[in-house]
Amino acid sequence: MHLNPEDGAKVAAAIRAAEAGTDGEISTIVAGSSDNYNDVVLHWALLFALLPLAVSAAWPHLIEWGASLISPWEEPSLRFILTLLLVKTIAAFLIARYVIGIQAIRIALTPAATKHRRVRRRALMLFRTGTEQRTLSTTGVLLYLSLAERRAEIVADAAIHAKAPQEAWGEAMAALVAAMRDNRPGDGMAAAVERIGAVLAQHFPRTDTDPNELPDRLIEL
């Protein structure tokens, strides 16, 4: 899933149209991923590294049989058996580390709760550095989309949150999710911006006294 220049133009046009009816400011950011999830890769690799140990504990004759195949002319020593087990453990770890390191597999094996937390954390960090309190009347809203996790977040300034709690963005999120299911993230972002604008226009209608303080474009990270 990716966005093209046409998608960026759609989102920019949607922002301008939405802000025409409100003093609120809408910021949009799309990222390829919200985290590298290296710790998830490490956890799975360590789990796979335990497999040779678990198999040997459950069926000890298998490790002896494997050792006898490598050294068929003599009874394998305990040192040889343990060394072979160590080599298998290291090999399992390295193979799993490489395979699970592939992004598609890494994302698929990351628990949904972990992805949700890290997308939310990245959205909050970007909001605090690029949107929060950067408008005169503290009426900025961030729409953040993380493509690899296929998750989005809407974060609003304090003045907006006081009048429009998180539940107010349900239609915007639904529109975005529906479009993402069809691999149309640009259309989904534009539709979500339109619905965010409707909420802002209800609570913060246009007064022509509030300047345009955030860029009316899609920011890609």
Side-chain angles (χ1 to χ4, degrees):
M1 183 184 297
H2 65 281
L3 282 85
N4 53 45
E6 290 77 15
D7 291 324
K10 287 179 187 177
V11 175
I15 293 173
R16 289 191 292 270
E19 291 182 353
T22 176
D23 280 348
E25 297 275 346
I26 302 172
S27 176
T28 56
I29 299 178
V30 60
S33 175
S34 292
D35 195 86
N36 55 28
Y37 300 102
N38 285 335
D39 57 325
V40 175
V41 177
L42 180 60
H43 293 160
W44 278 105
L46 289 173
L47 183 62
F48 274 92
L50 294 175
L51 282 179
L53 298 174
V55 171
S56 298
W59 299 283
H61 63 280
L62 290 179
I63 187 69
E64 296 176 2
W65 176 72
S68 64
L69 289 179
I70 297 174
S71 180
W73 307 112
E74 58 182 354
E75 185 74 19
S77 65
L78 179 60
R79 174 179 293 179
F80 182 79
I81 291 174
L82 293 177
T83 301
L84 181 60
L85 185 58
L86 176 62
V87 170
K88 288 182 176 181
T89 300
I90 294 173
F93 174 82
L94 294 177
I95 292 171
R97 175 69 181 82
Y98 173 78
V99 172
I100 301 172
I102 299 170
Q103 187 185 46
I105 299 175
R106 181 193 321 169
I107 294 294
L109 291 177
T110 300
T114 299
K115 288 186 280 192
H116 173 76
R117 285 195 303 270
R118 296 193 185 179
V119 170
R120 179 68 178 173
R121 181 179 67 187
R122 184 80 186 281
L124 289 171
M125 183 272 290
L126 292 171
F127 175 75
R128 287 165 183 160
T129 57
T131 304
E132 187 177 34
Q133 296 184 347
R134 291 190 64 183
T135 60
L136 190 63
S137 52
T138 62
T139 52
V141 179
L142 169 66
L143 172 60
Y144 172 71
L145 174 62
S146 192
L147 294 174
E149 296 90 344
R150 301 176 74 92
R151 280 169 167 74
E153 290 286 342
I154 298 175
V155 190
D157 260 320
I160 295 177
H161 188 69
K163 294 185 177 182
Q166 201 67 27
E167 296 76 18
W169 315 116
E171 288 188 11
M173 292 298 292
L176 178 53
V177 169
M180 287 179 64
R181 288 195 183 115
D182 297 331
N183 288 321
R184 296 182 295 109
D187 291 337
M189 291 281 283
V193 166
E194 179 184 349
R195 287 159 176 79
I196 291 171
V199 174
L200 292 176
Q202 177 185 355
H203 297 288
F204 300 92
R206 188 77 179 175
T207 62
D208 292 324
T209 60
D210 199 57
N212 189 8
E213 298 163 289
L214 296 177
D216 296 340
R217 64 182 179 87
L218 176 63
I219 299 172
E220 298 186 60
L221 302 180

